[in-house]
Amino acid sequence: MPTSTSNFGKKNTGQLFHLPVRSRTLSLREAAIYLGLTPSRLRTLAFLGTGPERHRSSKGATVYQRDALDHYVATLHERAGISTAETIRRRAERAPARDDALRELLEDPNTNLPEPDPFMMLATNGEVCEHGVFLMLKVLALFGFIMLCISSTPLLRAHFNQ
C-alpha cells in the first residue's frame, strides 16, 4: 500500500468515497407520488397490513423511507415478471414528472396530485383484494362466534330446559 510520501510531488486528485446517506423520509402524500399511487390506496395498503414498510415519526405521523419504497416497487415488478432493466427504464421514464410533483407538493401542500401510475394501481390491486378478503373472513368469523354466543338456538333451549 502506498504511503503518503510516495505521492509527494505528484498532482493527486484523490479518491471520492460515496458513503451511504440516511435516506430521507417521505410523508404519506409524498410516498404516494413517489410510488405512483393515490394516497387513499397507500392508506388502504397500510390498513390491511401490506404495502411498503412504514414507520412512525416522533410526531406520530406515518412516514416511509425511499429505500423501502424502491424495494417495494422492485418486488411488485418482480412479481409481475418484469425484468430489472425494464423496471429501471419505467422508473426513469416517470422520474421527471414524479420529481416535479414532489417539488410542487413541498412548495404548496394543497397542490393537486398527479395521475397514478396504471401499472402500480393494478399491481397493488391484487394485494388489496387478497388482504381485504382475509380481513373480511376474520370479521365474519368473529361476527359468527358472537352471534353463536348470544343467540338462543333451539338446540340450546332443548338442552337447558330438560
Side-chain angles (χ1 to χ4, degrees), residues 6-148:
S6 66
N7 290 332
F8 183 73
K10 296 178 184 174
K11 189 171 184 174
N12 189 358
T13 58
Q15 188 171 4
L16 181 63
F17 291 100
H18 293 281
L19 299 174
V21 178
R22 185 172 180 255
S23 62
R24 182 168 118 44
T25 57
L26 301 174
S27 68
L28 183 115
R29 286 175 58 97
E30 292 169 335
I33 291 172
Y34 188 79
L35 289 173
L37 296 172
T38 61
S40 62
R41 173 61 60 97
L42 198 52
R43 252 185 245 106
T44 302
L45 289 169
F47 174 75
L48 294 173
T50 186
E53 183 180 338
R54 58 203 161 275
H55 305 282
R56 290 281 178 192
S57 69
S58 58
K59 297 176 183 174
T62 301
V63 293
Y64 299 85
Q65 292 185 343
R66 285 184 193 255
D67 294 341
L69 297 176
D70 289 334
H71 178 70
Y72 182 67
V73 169
T75 302
L76 289 177
H77 281 85
E78 185 179 309
R79 270 193 228 150
I82 298 175
S83 69
T84 305
E86 179 63 17
T87 301
I88 292 169
R89 187 195 68 76
R90 284 181 47 78
R91 294 292 289 170
E93 187 179 279
R94 290 189 55 86
R98 180 185 66 222
D99 294 341
D100 289 343
L102 284 170
R103 205 172 303 109
E104 286 177 23
L105 184 65
L106 289 175
E107 291 171 5
D108 180 18
N110 296 325
T111 189
N112 291 333
L113 298 178
E115 289 294 316
D117 181 3
F119 169 78
M120 290 298 292
M121 292 299 287
L122 186 63
T124 56
N125 196 34
E127 282 189 75
V128 169
C129 290
E130 178 183 331
H131 290 274
V133 166
F134 184 67
L135 177 67
M136 288 303 295
L137 288 174
K138 289 195 299 189
V139 167
L140 288 173
L142 180 64
F143 180 73
F145 181 71
I146 291 171
M147 291 305 295
L148 182 67

